[in-house]
Amino acid sequence: QKLRIAVAANAQGVIKKLQADFRKRTGIETEAITGASGKLTAQIMNGAPYEVFLSADNEFPKKLYSEGLGVAKPKIYALGSLIVCGFAGGDFKKWQTMLATEGVKTIAIANPKTAPYGKAAAEALKYYGLDNKVNKKLVFGESIAQVNNYLQTKVADIAFTTESFLYEKTGKSGFQWARVEAKSYNVIEQGVILLKSSEKSGNSHAKKFYDYLSSASARKIISNNGYHLPK
Amino acid sequence: MININIEKQIGGRYGGFRLKVDTAFRLNTITQISGPSGIGKTTLLKIIAGLTTPDNGTLSVDEEVWFDKEKQFSKRVQEREVGFVFQDYALFSNMTVEQHLKFGTNDASYMSSLLELGEMNQFRKRYPKQLSGGQQQRLAILRALSTKPRFLLLDEPFTALDSELKLRITTRLKSLFEEQKTTVILVSHLPNEFGKGDCHVFALSGS
Amino acid sequence: MININIEKQIGGRYGGFRLKVDTAFRLNTITQISGPSGIGKTTLLKIIAGLTTPDNGTLSVDEEVWFDKEKQFSKRVQEREVGFVFQDYALFSNMTVEQHLKFGTNDASYMSSLLELGEMNQFRKRYPKQLSGGQQQRLAILRALSTKPRFLLLDEPFTALDSELKLRITTRLKSLFEEQKTTVILVSHLPNEFGKGDCHVFALSGS
Amino acid sequence: MEMEPIWLSIKLATITTIFLLFIGIPVAYWLSRKQNIFKLIIEAFITMPLVLPPSVLGFYLLIAFSPNNAFGIWLHQHFNLQLVFSFKGLILASIIYSLPFMVSPLKAAFSHLPKSMSEASYVMGKSKMKTFFYVLLPNIKPAVFTAAVLTFAHTLGEFGVVLMIGGNIPGETKVASIAIYDAVETLDYSAANAYALILFAITFIIVIGVFVLNRNAVKSPFE
Amino acid sequence: MEMEPIWLSIKLATITTIFLLFIGIPVAYWLSRKQNIFKLIIEAFITMPLVLPPSVLGFYLLIAFSPNNAFGIWLHQHFNLQLVFSFKGLILASIIYSLPFMVSPLKAAFSHLPKSMSEASYVMGKSKMKTFFYVLLPNIKPAVFTAAVLTFAHTLGEFGVVLMIGGNIPGETKVASIAIYDAVETLDYSAANAYALILFAITFIIVIGVFVLNRNAVKSPFE
Ligand SMILES: Nc1ncnc2c1ncn2[C@@H]1O[C@H](COP(=O)(O)OP(=O)(O)OP(=O)(O)O)[C@@H](O)[C@H]1O
Ligand SMILES: Nc1ncnc2c1ncn2[C@@H]1O[C@H](COP(=O)(O)OP(=O)(O)OP(=O)(O)O)[C@@H](O)[C@H]1O
Ligand SMILES: [Mg+2]
Ligand SMILES: [Mg+2]
């Protein structure tokens, strides 16, 4: 039985690289089950056979822990980095003014209610006093993955997404982007939790992977794929 | 004797009336029911077959009760051993002529004698849709015979047949009825379908 | 004259045969077609109405061509001004008696005279399912008359009527036909449906 | 809990069902007439959208309707119509998605009607059109109701397609199915339950209403 | 691109369709007989799952089947059956979800059959059962095929329910619809297109095949 890791949709790209590196180092086969964090949480609470859960935020892991489903308190494995990205012409260094211009018709962000990057994007817009000006242009993706689709297929002119989008495998030519300053939104803590079901299965692979996430090589992969690192 | 003493309210708001029948039909013979259109002939046959339930009364065959309103008893349709030729045939559109008969009997030689009787041999493989009106009517007769019923209820069964064909078929039917000791009840607008003097007549009339 | 000279291959693999008709029917009179079951009477009526296409030949009414195989011409069913009483009635199950007639005519007084003719007045509001066999057949006749067709094709239209009712209805029909100058073609197994000497007879036979 | 998504959903489902009645009935009738290979292929194509997960279908529609696309540009220039992130786009997408649920039952029903029924109407001088509306269609009433209910319910519950091409814009494309999805995602189960209950209640009333309408008007006194 | 999800999907859709034929046909027949208020309510309930977004339906099923739940525990103890995150659970969920697509068209078809057809069989001494299988069912063949095709296609494309209670486990619950969803989510459009094409091809073949089977065996020589 392979080790089953539940992974938030925004980390789909990086998890593949982590899995490969982990196998190279330990020989342990893993299986990533991706989905929206909320969905994965609901599943775990109802008996899903996942052993480690990498969430897009830290609220869901905390909730699981408080429900007694975690082996230990969740820890942060990555800090999300919000970018503003698009193919519309304009100066991305001054994206704050660009968003309000005529040339930008649709701006995609993830649903602030369900997705941490959406929440961060909304905070940033508010911080720069843009929320009222661009409200009419906003479209919402179910998850950050859907926002990325809007961007990739160019139905949205601009999108607030995760920096890791830039490392997904499809071509990124023509895209311009800028980091959103960290001060403008609350830090996006992505938590990982080692689940109780890993104890039931009896082998120590889950624990190994959980520990591996804090290793130097894992941290390097994480930071090379569009995330900041926790201290 | 088939003893009939029943009542049934027919039709609701518009032109409803009460069908009352109190009579007895002899077994092992042919009884012909006549009466104006809409008087309740088809309804009476359906009551005998158990397809329609009277509001009141009793129905029995010799000593055997088939229906008794007071005792809340009604013999199941399937157990009455009747054959029925419906006025509108009610053929099975999914079955060929042959399959209709097979549905009633496993006896291959009886089956082919029936096909012979109805002059339907060449249409064995046809579906009802592929038959002319008279051919469909003959199939309806043969299907009713296929189960060798003790009682045969015929609702205007020869209307689509030309007179020569009708004569050939009724003649053959008569000897089959004698052989199988069938009790036949026939609804028809024409007198003496099976030849003179060979049948009892019951005229249904309004009350 | 209705000039008919047509051929049609009937039936496929099993018991197929070739229907050949070469005859002429007089206008403004009643022609009665007879012939054994399955010979093609219904088919012939459908060919006249334009519901079935012959393989070969021509069909014309006086000088007017209705069908010509060589010219690839066939007059549309809707324009042939025929009325048709189908052997199986083909009533509209979604319409009441009244609605059937309204579908053919807007003339309220004609409608009620038709209901009178068919003795169907009390069943105005009934659906076909709620009618007895003979009542359904009368409705089929009335519906066919409702459009005041120039040509009326009747496929065994009186089989479900008792003899007295039939006599009353055919008598009324005859005067209606005279009034409307209807050309009537009637398929029936009984001779002289409209009284002796009043109709021409065409016997359809195999070739 | 907001009520706006509920209204939007009902509006979307109603409009879609009405459109689909207009489209589906003739298409079903046409398909039920003499079969040929061409119709067979059309019929297969109508069923196609079903086999894609809704969100993937939504993705393809997104690309098809995209304003960067020839088709999208054409729509925009000639009709000033923008289909992505708009209510109109949702309607079109729902129509495509629910088409088979409308067409298939109707087609089966039409093919059960006896040919002689239409023949009887033709000889009365009635056109194909008139025959269709006065004779054929009334005779498949139960199937029409069935198809309409399925379509309506299916559109109410539709979610993947709508989410993808709608962009979850409040008051425009944020329908009830998305609201309930959001509620579940955020583990806000009481809101989810409330939405579910309302959707159930609406459907329940509609289904019961339609079935009462559909109750066979013609009752035999013998039954 | 892996082929396993495709096989899993076909297996799921086939099993679900077969089960639903067994369940849906008798239910549809029963519903088509004399209507009463009780049947009406059952019928409304069958339609209910439709109006929920699939993932929300999946969520409720997840809770219902959850091993933390009385029902889930009971299933586990008495049948050693675990319905969440297992292929068996997917089957059950798909059955619930697709039930209306099976039942509704069949019910409409049964209600179109003339009563005299079964009466003719009863007087021949045939039981209700035998009448059903030899007379009624064969006469609604087109509707049965329609319903089966809709159910099959719909199960192939089903996704929200499956994802929720199945959990995307390779070889067990990772069906094609999820694989294609994942492909789109990760912007792997070429894989998505490949999956879509395969799903289309399969459905196309099945639809064409069924319609050819369904082609009316009885052809009038006059048409
Ligand atoms: N679909 C079909 N396939 C093959 N043969 C058919 C089909 N329909 C009718 N026939 C055959 O065509 C012949 C003529 O049929 P038609 O209905 O015209 O006969 P008919 O003279 O009206 O007979 P009847 O007096 O019995 O009504 C019949 O022998 C019938 O078996
Ligand atoms: N569903 C119904 N609703 C109301 N009245 C009905 C219904 N079915 C039949 N009837 C009426 O019941 C009466 C008896 O019908 P039945 O079919 O028994 O007549 P019948 O004697 O067989 O007539 P026919 O010789 O015309 O076949 C008819 O007057 C008919 O109008
Ligand atoms: Mg009768
Ligand atoms: Mg005939």
Side-chain angles (χ1 to χ4, degrees), chain A residues 145-167:
Chain A
Q146 197 171 342
V147 171
N148 292 344
N149 270 313
Y150 290 153
L151 200 52
Q152 188 76 42
T153 56
K154 304 187 175 170
V155 292
D157 302 319
I158 301 283
F160 284 84
T161 184
T162 158
E163 193 181 330
S164 61
F165 166 69
L166 302 168
Y167 302 87

Side-chain angles (χ1 to χ4, degrees), chain B residues 126 130 132-135, chain C residues 10-11 37-43 87 156, chain E residues 221:
Chain B
R126 294 262 190 96
Q130 301 169 310
S132 79
Q135 289 157 358
Chain C
I10 286 181
S37 171
I39 199 74
K41 303 180 295 297
T42 299
T43 309
Q87 198 168 5
E156 311 197 17

Side-chain angles (χ1 to χ4, degrees), chain C residues 106-177:
Chain C
N106 292 320
D107 182 343
S109 76
Y110 181 55
M111 226 175 81
S112 63
S113 75
L114 284 180
L115 289 170
E116 207 77 7
L117 187 157
E119 302 181 11
M120 291 288 288
N121 234 319
Q122 60 181 129
F123 309 121
R124 288 167 166 270
K125 304 281 181 208
R126 293 261 190 94
Y127 289 92
K129 258 209 238 174
Q130 301 170 310
L131 297 172
S132 79
Q135 289 157 356
Q136 290 182 11
Q137 194 168 45
R138 282 177 276 160
L139 174 55
I141 297 171
L142 301 187
R143 179 180 65 180
L145 290 170
S146 70
T147 57
K148 300 196 182 173
R150 277 176 63 203
F151 307 88
L152 185 64
L153 310 175
L154 304 166
D155 200 354
E156 311 197 17
F158 309 125
T159 52
L161 308 182
D162 57 283
S163 46
E164 283 151 42
L165 179 60
K166 177 153 83 175
L167 187 63
R168 291 198 299 276
I169 286 186
T170 48
T171 312
R172 292 176 201 141
L173 281 177
K174 237 164 60 180
S175 59
L176 191 76
F177 294 159

Side-chain angles (χ1 to χ4, degrees), chain B residues 46 49 51 76-78 82-84 86 88 90-95 100 103-104 127 129-130 143 146-147, chain E residues 115-128 130-131 134-135 138-139 216-221 223:
Chain B
K46 288 202 172 177
L51 294 171
R76 288 179 63 227
V77 185
Q78 283 92 340
V82 297
F84 204 124
F86 292 85
D88 62 355
L91 298 173
F92 304 133
S93 22
N94 60 308
M95 295 188 196
H100 274 86
F103 196 55
Y127 289 91
K129 259 210 239 172
Q130 301 169 310
R143 179 181 65 179
S146 69
T147 56
Chain E
K115 210 182 139 206
S116 62
M117 227 186 231
S118 35
E119 288 182 343
S121 172
Y122 297 155
V123 292
M124 289 176 84
K126 305 302 174 188
S127 64
K128 289 210 162 175
K130 205 151 187 188
T131 302
Y134 288 86
V135 179
N139 270 298
N216 221 331
V218 185
K219 287 237 180 78
S220 167
E223 288 171 28

Side-chain angles (χ1 to χ4, degrees), chain C residues 30-33 152 154 157-158 184-188 193-194:
Chain C
I30 300 172
T31 306
Q32 185 165 337
I33 301 178
L152 185 64
L154 304 166
F158 309 125
V184 179
I185 301 172
L186 166 78
V187 169
S188 175
E193 293 275 24
F194 284 96

